[in-house]
Amino acid sequence: VNIRQQTIGIVGDGQLGRMLIPAAKELGFHVVVLGPTENSPSGQYTEQIYGDFRKTEAVLRLGERADFVTFEFEDANAEGLMELEHRGVHVCPSPATLAKIKDKFLQKELLSRHGIPVAPYCSVSSRQDVVEAAERFGYPVVLKARLGSYDGQGNARIMDAGDIDSALTKLEGRELYVEGWVDFRRELSVVAARDIHGNIATYPVVETQHVRDVCHTVIAVNGEEDTGAHRKAVANADAVLDKLEGIGVFGIEMFEIMDGSSVLVNEIAPRVHNSGHWTIEGATTSQFEQHIRAIAGLPLGSTEMKCGAAVMVNILGRRNGPAGVSGLEQALAIPGVSVHIYGKHETRVDRKMGHLTAIAGNRDEALEAAQAARELISI
Amino acid sequence: VNIRQQTIGIVGDGQLGRMLIPAAKELGFHVVVLGPTENSPSGQYTEQIYGDFRKTEAVLRLGERADFVTFEFEDANAEGLMELEHRGVHVCPSPATLAKIKDKFLQKELLSRHGIPVAPYCSVSSRQDVVEAAERFGYPVVLKARLGSYDGQGNARIMDAGDIDSALTKLEGRELYVEGWVDFRRELSVVAARDIHGNIATYPVVETQHVRDVCHTVIAVNGEEDTGAHRKAVANADAVLDKLEGIGVFGIEMFEIMDGSSVLVNEIAPRVHNSGHWTIEGATTSQFEQHIRAIAGLPLGSTEMKCGAAVMVNILGRRNGPAGVSGLEQALAIPGVSVHIYGKHETRVDRKMGHLTAIAGNRDEALEAAQAARELISI
């Protein structure tokens, strides 16, 4: 036996890569990340290739070093990825799958074509198109950029006709579409994985709470599998993974609409997802290990919870300037609290600087512990 | 707020350091390790200073970079460590605590002086001393080196008087003592931590099984706290930590003697311990995070189990040569199994190349899963 150590290449150098790296290394892989940042969150854990992942040349340099290429940021140069596939590198999810997801309008088209419930939407290319869409769906609506948006960047709410011009100005120069407003009871999310054989493993449905369009709190409770909304959410997730044919972990954000009659798919992320960070402490297999297993051709792990409830709260910056953690001593005194600091050198208002997870016997205890810990930490 | 990132220095570059590193980084620390090995298990995760930790100069180089210094291998240069303490570096456990433990004869003296039960022992400096001790304790006895022994290195069994000469030859040139043979029912181990305020947190007692004096299997079962042997083991551990006054995690190996009447302390390790690896998946706080919390002045985390049972099995080399992992695909298909490969480049018979942990609802299920997975992996 003399098996060469295999290398996983990760596009991006942020916190998602940072959390994928130990999962990969513990399974015996070497890891190389691609990104522009000196002493990046990922680069603090492994070898980094410095470069702009939007450029073909940089993606090819990563691919030369890797047996498997994956993403913590899906906006990598598509031409480079296709060339890597052509050269025999396992790119997961594949450029073909990414193409179906990257453009949020095409993503909606895919979902609705397969009967997966989504909010009403339509493509727009003029002010008049926006007016007509808003009148058809009824105000308010949301104007969205088709490409390159995340964490509320690239969205503009239109409460009435008077907001249209400012929304168009905010998103000027980008391809756009309009979505009807969803009055939701709760935002739900499902993290699920698909392996190379097509097997699907789905984590428990979680409730997500956003503040200023940024994910703030994620609540996972054991034993709620049989409630109606959760069953619908899982059915959506399974259908999404089935139609995408992508390999790896996906995060699928959904709305449970106000009257409880349906669960709509809002957005798919072709990667490990903020709504799955709780799995590090709370599930038998973390979403990070699950992703590495999937892309490397290994079997998926158990997605069972190993606690009554887990609550994750993002540690978002509350000021601008050099980062510095304080309050850890107080926060870690709360039983069941685990803290993850991402190692970013500059903090900014609402920037994701870390997260914490509290595990406990039930939802209320976990929520209370997580929120109390969050209030104690400053960064 | 502008708090400088603090640095933890780890003496040693092996697998224990490798597992301490992510625990430290997630809490926001930078980590530097000291060791001689190119592309070492620890160096694959963080910055490494190359050097021989038995030399003063190397220990001082590590200390110049670190706010806290700790150990994955306790045989560091004592003079260097004392100088670092003198310079204001937090060395945990302290050189004073290490001195009480490093010499196994002095360790026994400390334990027996404080009424902590140990096997009969006595210092020997001649063949005649060994003969007298063996006659006093009764054959068999074990001849042991006072310094630098681990995993059965530095021990020689003496079944009868005919073995004395070969035992003395095996351990020639070392300071020695003799221990009476313990007929044990089970080997137990307790991992416990002490923080800077003197608080002690104790993990559940585990059963350990050794093969050829190397730890092979560790079994942790939830809800066995109240059995007599477990209560005695915890009392021993608390007494040990109380008397040592050391800060950080300690592994305390014990014998439950055959008639069940008492639990003897066999050996103390002043560091994270092989019998605590199961805590990564099985406990609320892993022993690695616990150690980082303790030495960095943070509060200790919960030591509760988050599963019915956890079984850890070491992945020991079965041949000599370049390392290469195979069988992962089969092993990871067993639900509840997590694998940790240490990234060592050369495998050797009985060398610790990795470990795996199975978590399950009860002891039998976990044991079966772990043993089945172990049989499938080759390295």
Side-chain angles (χ1 to χ4, degrees):
Chain A
V1 194
N2 185 359
I3 299 160
R4 189 179 65 87
Q5 190 184 32
Q6 291 186 301
T7 297
I8 292 177
I10 300 175
V11 173
D13 58 12
Q15 68 265 18
L16 300 179
R18 181 181 169 101
M19 291 185 274
L20 283 166
I21 296 163
K25 291 197 174 186
E26 294 304 291
L27 291 176
F29 297 100
H30 179 55
V31 184
V32 182
V33 301
L34 170 65
T37 318
E38 281 280 343
N39 195 16
S40 68
S42 291
Q44 290 164 27
Y45 265 100
T46 202
E47 185 186 345
Q48 177 164 356
I49 294 175
Y50 292 93
D52 179 351
F53 43 72
R54 290 185 186 82
K55 297 204 170 135
T56 311
E57 158 278 322
V59 169
L60 294 181
R61 267 194 292 147
L62 178 69
E64 275 160 20
R65 295 291 312 286
D67 302 281
F68 306 94
V69 164
T70 191
F71 311 88
E72 66 126 40
F73 191 79
E74 57 266 38
D75 230 3
N77 180 279
E79 197 183 331
L81 295 175
M82 282 186 281
E83 173 61 22
L84 290 185
E85 261 202 335
H86 181 70
R87 292 183 188 175
V89 179
H90 301 273
V91 180
C92 295
S94 68
T97 297
L98 286 181
K100 295 180 195 169
I101 296 181
K102 268 171 89 159
D103 181 324
K104 285 196 192 170
F105 176 74
L106 294 184
Q107 194 187 108
K108 290 274 191 267
E109 293 276 88
L110 173 84
L111 294 170
S112 58
R113 190 165 63 244
H114 288 105
I116 299 167
V118 294
Y121 69 95
C122 75
S123 154
V124 293
S125 54
S126 68
R127 189 182 190 287
Q128 187 52 31
D129 287 351
V130 178
V131 172
E132 283 172 17
E135 285 173 359
R136 196 160 71 248
F137 302 153
Y139 289 98
V141 294
V142 187
L143 187 66
K144 295 189 170 184
R146 289 170 61 156
L147 290 166
S149 52
Y150 63 95
D151 286 354
Q153 313 289 321
N155 288 1
R157 285 185 205 174
I158 298 174
M159 301 309 287
D160 56 45
D163 290 342
I164 293 179
D165 288 327
S166 63
L168 284 167
T169 304
K170 181 181 170 193
L171 302 177
E172 200 171 359
R174 302 170 76 168
E175 285 191 281
L176 302 173
Y177 70 106
V178 165
E179 227 178 80
W181 182 263
V182 177
D183 249 353
F184 59 81
R185 174 187 287 172
R186 293 184 301 179
E187 292 177 272
L188 303 177
S189 178
V190 175
V191 170
R194 193 165 179 279
D195 72 12
I196 58 166
H197 305 293
N199 300 308
I200 292 170
T202 306
Y203 288 94
V205 180
V206 297
E207 180 184 346
T208 61
Q209 297 173 350
H210 289 73
V211 176
R212 292 184 296 279
D213 291 321
V214 179
C215 175
H216 203 275
T217 304
V218 173
I219 302 166
V221 182
N222 206 342
E224 292 197 338
E225 299 80 6
D226 287 336
T227 65
H230 282 213
R231 273 207 309 270
K232 287 177 184 138
V234 169
N236 282 347
D238 287 349
V240 164
L241 264 72
D242 190 46
K243 300 313 171 196
L244 278 177
E245 296 176 352
I247 291 162
V249 163
F250 294 80
I252 302 149
E253 296 183 85
M254 308 186 205
F255 296 123
E256 178 187 4
I257 70 164
M258 196 54 90
D259 65 8
S261 61
S262 66
V263 174
L264 309 180
V265 171
N266 176 33
E267 205 171 304
I268 307 165
R271 51 168 168 74
V272 289
H273 194 253
N274 201 164
S275 69
H277 291 359
W278 66 272
T279 60
I280 297 173
E281 287 83 13
T284 299
T285 313
S286 82
Q287 68 164 345
F288 301 99
E289 178 176 342
Q290 192 77 303
H291 186 67
I292 298 298
R293 285 179 178 227
I295 68 167
L298 297 167
L300 299 176
S302 161
T303 55
E304 270 180 37
M305 288 187 72
K306 44 186 184 184
C307 52
V311 171
M312 192 256 12
V313 180
N314 276 333
I315 301 173
L316 304 173
R318 289 175 178 168
R319 60 181 177 85
N320 299 319
V325 186
S326 67
L328 263 192
E329 188 175 347
Q330 292 73 34
L332 291 175
I334 300 172
V337 169
S338 301
V339 173
H340 299 266
I341 302 296
Y342 298 155
K344 297 179 184 179
H345 304 290
E346 292 286 321
T347 188
R348 284 196 308 269
V349 172
D350 282 353
R351 188 178 194 197
K352 291 176 179 173
M353 301 299 293
H355 77 265
L356 61 85
T357 299
I359 67 169
N362 62 52
R363 177 193 159 104
D364 289 348
E365 282 172 26
L367 197 56
E368 191 183 355
Q371 287 173 340
R374 175 64 193 93
E375 284 315 304
L376 293 164
I377 294 180
S378 152
I379 185 165
Chain B
V1 195
N2 185 357
I3 300 160
R4 191 179 65 85
Q5 189 183 32
Q6 291 186 301
T7 297
I8 292 176
I10 300 175
V11 173
D13 58 13
Q15 68 266 18
L16 299 179
R18 180 182 170 99
M19 292 185 274
L20 284 167
I21 295 163
K25 291 197 173 185
E26 294 304 291
L27 292 177
F29 297 101
H30 180 56
V31 183
V32 181
V33 301
L34 171 65
T37 318
E38 282 279 344
N39 195 16
S40 68
S42 291
Q44 291 163 28
Y45 265 99
T46 203
E47 185 187 345
Q48 177 164 356
I49 293 174
Y50 292 93
D52 179 351
F53 43 71
R54 290 186 185 80
K55 297 202 168 137
T56 311
E57 158 279 322
V59 169
L60 294 181
R61 268 193 292 145
L62 178 69
E64 276 160 20
R65 295 291 313 284
D67 302 281
F68 305 95
V69 165
T70 189
F71 311 87
E72 65 125 43
F73 191 79
E74 57 265 38
D75 230 3
N77 179 281
E79 196 184 331
L81 295 175
M82 282 186 282
E83 172 61 19
L84 290 185
E85 262 202 333
H86 181 69
R87 293 182 187 176
V89 178
H90 301 273
V91 180
C92 296
S94 69
T97 297
L98 286 180
K100 295 181 195 169
I101 296 181
K102 270 170 86 160
D103 181 323
K104 287 196 191 171
F105 176 75
L106 294 185
Q107 194 187 109
K108 289 271 190 273
E109 295 275 89
L110 173 82
L111 294 170
S112 59
R113 189 165 64 245
H114 288 105
I116 298 167
V118 294
Y121 67 96
C122 74
S123 155
V124 293
S125 54
S126 68
R127 190 180 189 289
Q128 186 55 31
D129 287 349
V130 178
V131 171
E132 283 173 17
E135 284 172 0
R136 195 159 72 249
F137 302 152
Y139 288 98
V141 294
V142 187
L143 186 65
K144 295 189 169 185
R146 289 171 61 155
L147 289 166
S149 51
Y150 63 97
D151 287 352
Q153 312 291 320
N155 288 0
R157 285 186 205 175
I158 297 173
M159 302 309 288
D160 57 46
D163 290 340
I164 292 178
D165 288 327
S166 62
L168 284 168
T169 305
K170 181 182 170 192
L171 302 177
E172 198 169 2
R174 302 171 75 168
E175 284 191 282
L176 303 173
Y177 70 106
V178 166
E179 226 178 82
W181 182 262
V182 177
D183 249 351
F184 60 82
R185 173 188 288 175
R186 293 185 300 179
E187 291 177 273
L188 303 177
S189 178
V190 175
V191 170
R194 193 165 180 280
D195 72 12
I196 58 167
H197 306 293
N199 299 310
I200 292 171
T202 306
Y203 287 95
V205 180
V206 297
E207 180 183 345
T208 61
Q209 297 173 351
H210 289 72
V211 175
R212 290 184 297 278
D213 290 322
V214 179
C215 177
H216 204 275
T217 303
V218 174
I219 302 166
V221 182
N222 205 343
E224 292 198 339
E225 299 79 7
D226 287 336
T227 64
H230 283 212
R231 272 208 308 273
K232 286 177 185 139
V234 170
N236 282 347
D238 287 349
V240 165
L241 262 72
D242 189 48
K243 300 313 171 197
L244 277 177
E245 296 175 355
I247 291 163
V249 163
F250 293 80
I252 302 148
E253 296 182 85
M254 309 186 203
F255 296 122
E256 178 187 6
I257 71 164
M258 196 56 90
D259 65 9
S261 61
S262 66
V263 174
L264 309 180
V265 172
N266 176 32
E267 204 170 304
I268 307 166
R271 52 168 168 75
V272 288
H273 194 253
N274 201 163
S275 70
H277 291 357
W278 67 273
T279 60
I280 297 174
E281 287 83 13
T284 299
T285 312
S286 81
Q287 68 165 342
F288 302 99
E289 178 177 342
Q290 193 78 302
H291 186 67
I292 298 298
R293 285 179 177 228
I295 67 166
L298 297 167
L300 299 176
S302 161
T303 56
E304 270 182 36
M305 288 187 72
K306 46 185 184 186
C307 52
V311 172
M312 193 259 5
V313 180
N314 275 333
I315 301 173
L316 304 174
R318 288 176 178 167
R319 58 183 178 84
N320 299 319
V325 186
S326 67
L328 263 192
E329 189 176 346
Q330 293 72 36
L332 291 175
I334 300 172
V337 169
S338 301
V339 172
H340 299 266
I341 303 295
Y342 299 154
K344 298 179 184 179
H345 304 289
E346 293 285 321
T347 188
R348 285 197 308 270
V349 172
D350 281 352
R351 188 178 194 197
K352 291 176 179 174
M353 301 300 291
H355 77 266
L356 62 85
T357 299
I359 66 168
N362 62 54
R363 177 192 160 106
D364 288 349
E365 281 171 26
L367 197 56
E368 193 183 352
Q371 287 173 340
R374 176 63 194 94
E375 284 315 305
L376 293 163
I377 294 179
S378 152
I379 186 164

